[in-house]
Short mmCIF file of all heavy atoms in Angstrom, two decimals:
data_model
loop_
_atom_site.label_atom_id
_atom_site.label_comp_id
_atom_site.label_asym_id
_atom_site.label_seq_id
_atom_site.Cartn_x
_atom_site.Cartn_y
_atom_site.Cartn_z
N TYR A 1 -2.45 4.30 2.66
CA TYR A 1 -3.37 5.29 2.08
C TYR A 1 -2.67 6.62 1.94
O TYR A 1 -1.67 6.85 2.62
CB TYR A 1 -4.58 5.43 2.95
CG TYR A 1 -5.46 4.21 3.03
CD1 TYR A 1 -5.12 3.08 3.75
CD2 TYR A 1 -6.70 4.17 2.42
CE1 TYR A 1 -5.88 1.97 3.83
CE2 TYR A 1 -7.55 3.10 2.49
CZ TYR A 1 -7.12 1.96 3.22
OH TYR A 1 -7.96 0.89 3.29
N ARG A 2 -3.21 7.45 1.10
CA ARG A 2 -2.66 8.82 0.99
C ARG A 2 -3.80 9.78 0.85
O ARG A 2 -4.86 9.51 0.34
CB ARG A 2 -1.70 8.94 -0.14
CG ARG A 2 -2.28 8.75 -1.56
CD ARG A 2 -1.19 8.71 -2.57
NE ARG A 2 -1.72 8.42 -3.90
CZ ARG A 2 -1.01 8.09 -5.01
NH1 ARG A 2 0.35 7.96 -4.87
NH2 ARG A 2 -1.58 7.90 -6.16
N GLN A 3 -3.54 10.98 1.29
CA GLN A 3 -4.53 12.09 1.19
C GLN A 3 -3.78 13.40 0.88
O GLN A 3 -2.97 13.86 1.65
CB GLN A 3 -5.30 12.20 2.49
CG GLN A 3 -6.45 13.19 2.42
CD GLN A 3 -7.39 13.12 3.58
OE1 GLN A 3 -6.98 12.66 4.68
NE2 GLN A 3 -8.63 13.48 3.40
N ALA A 4 -4.15 13.91 -0.27
CA ALA A 4 -3.65 15.23 -0.66
C ALA A 4 -4.66 16.31 -0.24
O ALA A 4 -5.84 16.01 -0.05
CB ALA A 4 -3.44 15.27 -2.17
N PRO A 5 -4.19 17.56 -0.10
CA PRO A 5 -5.08 18.63 0.34
C PRO A 5 -6.28 18.73 -0.62
O PRO A 5 -6.12 18.77 -1.83
CB PRO A 5 -4.19 19.88 0.28
CG PRO A 5 -2.83 19.35 0.44
CD PRO A 5 -2.77 17.98 -0.23
N GLY A 6 -7.48 18.79 -0.04
CA GLY A 6 -8.68 18.94 -0.82
C GLY A 6 -9.17 17.71 -1.49
O GLY A 6 -10.10 17.72 -2.28
N LYS A 7 -8.50 16.60 -1.24
CA LYS A 7 -8.89 15.33 -1.86
C LYS A 7 -9.25 14.25 -0.81
O LYS A 7 -8.94 14.39 0.35
CB LYS A 7 -7.75 14.79 -2.75
CG LYS A 7 -7.42 15.64 -3.97
CD LYS A 7 -6.42 15.01 -4.83
CE LYS A 7 -6.07 15.86 -6.05
NZ LYS A 7 -5.06 15.21 -6.93
N GLN A 8 -9.94 13.24 -1.27
CA GLN A 8 -10.31 12.14 -0.42
C GLN A 8 -9.11 11.24 -0.14
O GLN A 8 -8.21 11.13 -0.97
CB GLN A 8 -11.45 11.32 -1.04
CG GLN A 8 -12.76 12.08 -1.30
CD GLN A 8 -13.45 12.40 0.03
OE1 GLN A 8 -13.51 11.57 0.94
NE2 GLN A 8 -14.00 13.60 0.13
N ARG A 9 -9.10 10.62 1.00
CA ARG A 9 -8.09 9.62 1.27
C ARG A 9 -8.32 8.42 0.38
O ARG A 9 -9.46 7.90 0.23
CB ARG A 9 -8.15 9.24 2.76
CG ARG A 9 -7.03 8.32 3.17
CD ARG A 9 -7.04 8.08 4.72
NE ARG A 9 -6.84 9.31 5.42
CZ ARG A 9 -6.68 9.38 6.74
NH1 ARG A 9 -6.64 8.25 7.46
NH2 ARG A 9 -6.54 10.51 7.33
N GLU A 10 -7.29 7.92 -0.22
CA GLU A 10 -7.39 6.81 -1.13
C GLU A 10 -6.39 5.72 -0.80
O GLU A 10 -5.32 5.94 -0.26
CB GLU A 10 -7.14 7.31 -2.59
CG GLU A 10 -5.71 7.80 -2.82
CD GLU A 10 -5.41 8.12 -4.26
OE1 GLU A 10 -6.25 7.78 -5.15
OE2 GLU A 10 -4.40 8.79 -4.53
N LEU A 11 -6.84 4.49 -1.09
CA LEU A 11 -5.97 3.34 -0.90
C LEU A 11 -4.91 3.36 -1.96
O LEU A 11 -5.16 3.49 -3.15
CB LEU A 11 -6.80 2.06 -0.95
CG LEU A 11 -5.97 0.76 -0.92
CD1 LEU A 11 -5.40 0.54 0.45
CD2 LEU A 11 -6.88 -0.39 -1.28
N VAL A 12 -3.66 3.16 -1.49
CA VAL A 12 -2.52 3.06 -2.43
C VAL A 12 -2.15 1.62 -2.67
O VAL A 12 -1.99 1.17 -3.78
CB VAL A 12 -1.30 3.86 -1.90
CG1 VAL A 12 -0.11 3.67 -2.79
CG2 VAL A 12 -1.67 5.31 -1.68
N ALA A 13 -1.98 0.87 -1.56
CA ALA A 13 -1.62 -0.54 -1.67
C ALA A 13 -2.02 -1.23 -0.40
O ALA A 13 -2.05 -0.61 0.67
CB ALA A 13 -0.12 -0.70 -1.94
N ALA A 14 -2.28 -2.55 -0.46
CA ALA A 14 -2.62 -3.28 0.66
C ALA A 14 -1.98 -4.68 0.55
O ALA A 14 -1.71 -5.17 -0.54
CB ALA A 14 -4.13 -3.45 0.82
N ILE A 15 -1.77 -5.32 1.71
CA ILE A 15 -1.18 -6.66 1.72
C ILE A 15 -1.80 -7.47 2.83
O ILE A 15 -1.99 -6.99 3.93
CB ILE A 15 0.38 -6.55 1.88
CG1 ILE A 15 1.01 -7.95 1.74
CG2 ILE A 15 0.75 -5.87 3.15
CD1 ILE A 15 2.55 -7.83 1.57
N THR A 16 -2.14 -8.70 2.51
CA THR A 16 -2.73 -9.57 3.53
C THR A 16 -1.62 -10.20 4.37
O THR A 16 -0.41 -10.05 4.06
CB THR A 16 -3.48 -10.72 2.88
OG1 THR A 16 -2.60 -11.63 2.20
CG2 THR A 16 -4.54 -10.16 1.93
N SER A 17 -2.00 -10.86 5.45
CA SER A 17 -1.01 -11.53 6.30
C SER A 17 -0.26 -12.59 5.58
O SER A 17 0.89 -12.85 5.96
CB SER A 17 -1.71 -12.11 7.52
OG SER A 17 -2.68 -13.09 7.15
N GLY A 18 -0.81 -13.13 4.53
CA GLY A 18 -0.15 -14.14 3.73
C GLY A 18 0.72 -13.63 2.59
O GLY A 18 1.36 -14.40 1.90
N GLY A 19 0.63 -12.32 2.38
CA GLY A 19 1.48 -11.69 1.35
C GLY A 19 0.79 -11.40 0.06
O GLY A 19 1.44 -10.91 -0.89
N ASP A 20 -0.54 -11.57 -0.04
CA ASP A 20 -1.26 -11.21 -1.27
C ASP A 20 -1.38 -9.70 -1.27
O ASP A 20 -1.66 -9.04 -0.27
CB ASP A 20 -2.64 -11.84 -1.27
CG ASP A 20 -2.61 -13.35 -1.40
OD1 ASP A 20 -1.72 -13.87 -2.12
OD2 ASP A 20 -3.44 -14.02 -0.79
N THR A 21 -1.20 -9.07 -2.45
CA THR A 21 -1.15 -7.68 -2.54
C THR A 21 -2.25 -7.12 -3.50
O THR A 21 -2.75 -7.82 -4.36
CB THR A 21 0.20 -7.22 -3.10
OG1 THR A 21 0.48 -7.77 -4.37
CG2 THR A 21 1.32 -7.62 -2.13
N ASN A 22 -2.54 -5.83 -3.29
CA ASN A 22 -3.47 -5.09 -4.13
C ASN A 22 -2.99 -3.67 -4.25
O ASN A 22 -2.50 -3.11 -3.27
CB ASN A 22 -4.89 -5.14 -3.57
CG ASN A 22 -5.91 -4.58 -4.51
OD1 ASN A 22 -5.88 -4.88 -5.70
ND2 ASN A 22 -6.86 -3.80 -3.97
N TYR A 23 -3.07 -3.10 -5.41
CA TYR A 23 -2.58 -1.80 -5.74
C TYR A 23 -3.59 -0.92 -6.45
O TYR A 23 -4.44 -1.42 -7.23
CB TYR A 23 -1.32 -1.87 -6.62
CG TYR A 23 -0.15 -2.56 -6.01
CD1 TYR A 23 0.05 -3.89 -6.28
CD2 TYR A 23 0.77 -1.88 -5.23
CE1 TYR A 23 1.18 -4.57 -5.73
CE2 TYR A 23 1.89 -2.51 -4.67
CZ TYR A 23 2.03 -3.82 -4.93
OH TYR A 23 3.10 -4.49 -4.39
N ALA A 24 -3.58 0.32 -6.15
CA ALA A 24 -4.31 1.24 -6.94
C ALA A 24 -3.76 1.26 -8.37
O ALA A 24 -2.60 1.07 -8.60
CB ALA A 24 -4.19 2.68 -6.39
N ASP A 25 -4.69 1.41 -9.34
CA ASP A 25 -4.24 1.36 -10.73
C ASP A 25 -3.11 2.37 -11.05
O ASP A 25 -2.23 2.08 -11.85
CB ASP A 25 -5.44 1.62 -11.67
CG ASP A 25 -6.44 0.46 -11.69
OD1 ASP A 25 -6.03 -0.69 -11.27
OD2 ASP A 25 -7.57 0.70 -12.13
N SER A 26 -3.19 3.48 -10.39
CA SER A 26 -2.22 4.57 -10.69
C SER A 26 -0.82 4.25 -10.23
O SER A 26 0.13 4.92 -10.73
CB SER A 26 -2.71 5.91 -10.06
OG SER A 26 -2.78 5.78 -8.62
N VAL A 27 -0.67 3.33 -9.37
CA VAL A 27 0.64 3.05 -8.82
C VAL A 27 1.15 1.62 -9.14
O VAL A 27 2.38 1.35 -8.95
CB VAL A 27 0.70 3.18 -7.25
CG1 VAL A 27 0.14 4.56 -6.86
CG2 VAL A 27 -0.01 2.05 -6.55
N ARG A 28 0.32 0.82 -9.74
CA ARG A 28 0.70 -0.58 -10.05
C ARG A 28 1.89 -0.54 -11.04
O ARG A 28 1.86 0.15 -12.03
CB ARG A 28 -0.45 -1.34 -10.65
CG ARG A 28 -0.16 -2.80 -10.82
CD ARG A 28 -1.40 -3.60 -11.28
NE ARG A 28 -2.46 -3.61 -10.28
CZ ARG A 28 -3.59 -2.94 -10.33
NH1 ARG A 28 -3.84 -2.21 -11.36
NH2 ARG A 28 -4.44 -3.06 -9.36
N GLY A 29 2.91 -1.31 -10.71
CA GLY A 29 4.10 -1.35 -11.55
C GLY A 29 5.22 -0.44 -11.09
O GLY A 29 6.32 -0.62 -11.45
N ARG A 30 4.84 0.55 -10.25
CA ARG A 30 5.83 1.54 -9.74
C ARG A 30 6.03 1.35 -8.23
O ARG A 30 7.14 1.60 -7.75
CB ARG A 30 5.43 2.97 -10.02
CG ARG A 30 5.40 3.29 -11.51
CD ARG A 30 5.13 4.78 -11.72
NE ARG A 30 3.79 5.16 -11.22
CZ ARG A 30 3.58 6.02 -10.19
NH1 ARG A 30 4.61 6.57 -9.57
NH2 ARG A 30 2.36 6.31 -9.82
N PHE A 31 4.98 0.99 -7.51
CA PHE A 31 5.09 0.80 -6.02
C PHE A 31 5.06 -0.63 -5.73
O PHE A 31 4.47 -1.46 -6.39
CB PHE A 31 3.89 1.52 -5.35
CG PHE A 31 3.86 2.99 -5.41
CD1 PHE A 31 4.76 3.72 -6.23
CD2 PHE A 31 2.99 3.71 -4.59
CE1 PHE A 31 4.70 5.08 -6.28
CE2 PHE A 31 2.92 5.07 -4.60
CZ PHE A 31 3.78 5.82 -5.48
N THR A 32 5.78 -0.99 -4.58
CA THR A 32 5.73 -2.35 -4.12
C THR A 32 5.52 -2.32 -2.64
O THR A 32 6.20 -1.69 -1.86
CB THR A 32 7.08 -3.03 -4.39
OG1 THR A 32 7.34 -3.02 -5.81
CG2 THR A 32 7.01 -4.47 -3.93
N ILE A 33 4.44 -3.05 -2.19
CA ILE A 33 4.20 -3.22 -0.75
C ILE A 33 4.68 -4.57 -0.35
O ILE A 33 4.60 -5.54 -1.11
CB ILE A 33 2.66 -3.05 -0.50
CG1 ILE A 33 2.44 -3.00 1.06
CG2 ILE A 33 1.83 -4.09 -1.11
CD1 ILE A 33 1.00 -2.60 1.43
N SER A 34 5.26 -4.64 0.85
CA SER A 34 5.78 -5.85 1.41
C SER A 34 5.61 -5.80 2.92
O SER A 34 5.37 -4.74 3.51
CB SER A 34 7.22 -6.11 1.00
OG SER A 34 8.04 -5.08 1.43
N ARG A 35 5.86 -6.93 3.59
CA ARG A 35 5.74 -6.94 5.03
C ARG A 35 6.69 -7.96 5.60
O ARG A 35 7.10 -8.94 4.95
CB ARG A 35 4.32 -7.23 5.48
CG ARG A 35 3.79 -8.65 5.16
CD ARG A 35 2.27 -8.72 5.39
NE ARG A 35 1.98 -8.71 6.81
CZ ARG A 35 0.73 -8.50 7.31
NH1 ARG A 35 -0.27 -8.19 6.48
NH2 ARG A 35 0.52 -8.54 8.57
N ASP A 36 7.09 -7.71 6.79
CA ASP A 36 7.92 -8.63 7.62
C ASP A 36 7.10 -8.98 8.85
O ASP A 36 7.02 -8.19 9.79
CB ASP A 36 9.24 -7.95 7.96
CG ASP A 36 10.20 -8.91 8.67
OD1 ASP A 36 9.73 -9.91 9.27
OD2 ASP A 36 11.41 -8.64 8.61
N ASN A 37 6.49 -10.10 8.84
CA ASN A 37 5.59 -10.52 9.91
C ASN A 37 6.31 -10.62 11.30
O ASN A 37 5.77 -10.37 12.28
CB ASN A 37 4.87 -11.80 9.58
CG ASN A 37 3.86 -11.62 8.46
OD1 ASN A 37 3.30 -10.49 8.28
ND2 ASN A 37 3.55 -12.68 7.75
N ALA A 38 7.60 -11.04 11.21
CA ALA A 38 8.32 -11.20 12.42
C ALA A 38 8.57 -9.83 13.07
O ALA A 38 8.74 -9.78 14.32
CB ALA A 38 9.63 -11.90 12.15
N LYS A 39 8.58 -8.77 12.33
CA LYS A 39 8.81 -7.47 12.83
C LYS A 39 7.53 -6.59 12.93
O LYS A 39 7.57 -5.44 13.32
CB LYS A 39 9.84 -6.72 11.98
CG LYS A 39 11.20 -7.33 11.97
CD LYS A 39 12.16 -6.53 11.06
CE LYS A 39 13.55 -7.14 11.08
NZ LYS A 39 14.47 -6.40 10.21
N ASN A 40 6.39 -7.20 12.55
CA ASN A 40 5.14 -6.45 12.51
C ASN A 40 5.28 -5.17 11.73
O ASN A 40 4.77 -4.10 12.18
CB ASN A 40 4.63 -6.17 13.93
CG ASN A 40 4.05 -7.42 14.63
OD1 ASN A 40 3.70 -8.41 13.95
ND2 ASN A 40 3.97 -7.32 15.95
N THR A 41 5.94 -5.22 10.64
CA THR A 41 6.25 -4.06 9.83
C THR A 41 5.79 -4.22 8.37
O THR A 41 5.99 -5.27 7.80
CB THR A 41 7.77 -3.78 9.90
OG1 THR A 41 8.14 -3.54 11.29
CG2 THR A 41 8.13 -2.59 9.05
N VAL A 42 5.28 -3.18 7.81
CA VAL A 42 4.93 -3.11 6.42
C VAL A 42 5.70 -2.02 5.78
O VAL A 42 6.00 -0.99 6.37
CB VAL A 42 3.37 -2.91 6.23
CG1 VAL A 42 2.93 -1.58 6.76
CG2 VAL A 42 3.01 -3.09 4.78
N TYR A 43 6.07 -2.22 4.50
CA TYR A 43 6.88 -1.31 3.75
C TYR A 43 6.16 -0.91 2.47
O TYR A 43 5.35 -1.66 1.94
CB TYR A 43 8.21 -1.91 3.39
CG TYR A 43 8.96 -2.51 4.55
CD1 TYR A 43 8.90 -3.85 4.85
CD2 TYR A 43 9.87 -1.68 5.29
CE1 TYR A 43 9.59 -4.33 5.94
CE2 TYR A 43 10.56 -2.22 6.33
CZ TYR A 43 10.45 -3.55 6.64
OH TYR A 43 11.13 -4.09 7.70
N LEU A 44 6.48 0.25 1.95
CA LEU A 44 6.03 0.68 0.66
C LEU A 44 7.20 1.32 -0.12
O LEU A 44 7.71 2.37 0.27
CB LEU A 44 4.86 1.71 0.78
CG LEU A 44 4.24 2.09 -0.56
CD1 LEU A 44 3.55 0.96 -1.23
CD2 LEU A 44 3.29 3.30 -0.35
#
């Protein structure tokens, strides 16, 4: 998620445990979310 000054916090990208992803329209095609379950780590 991201929050700019004076603005609401908004979802940028999400990923399920199985790797299904969802993106805000404004970032789709430019941002990529991924995860490494063995490391309990998510990347953007």
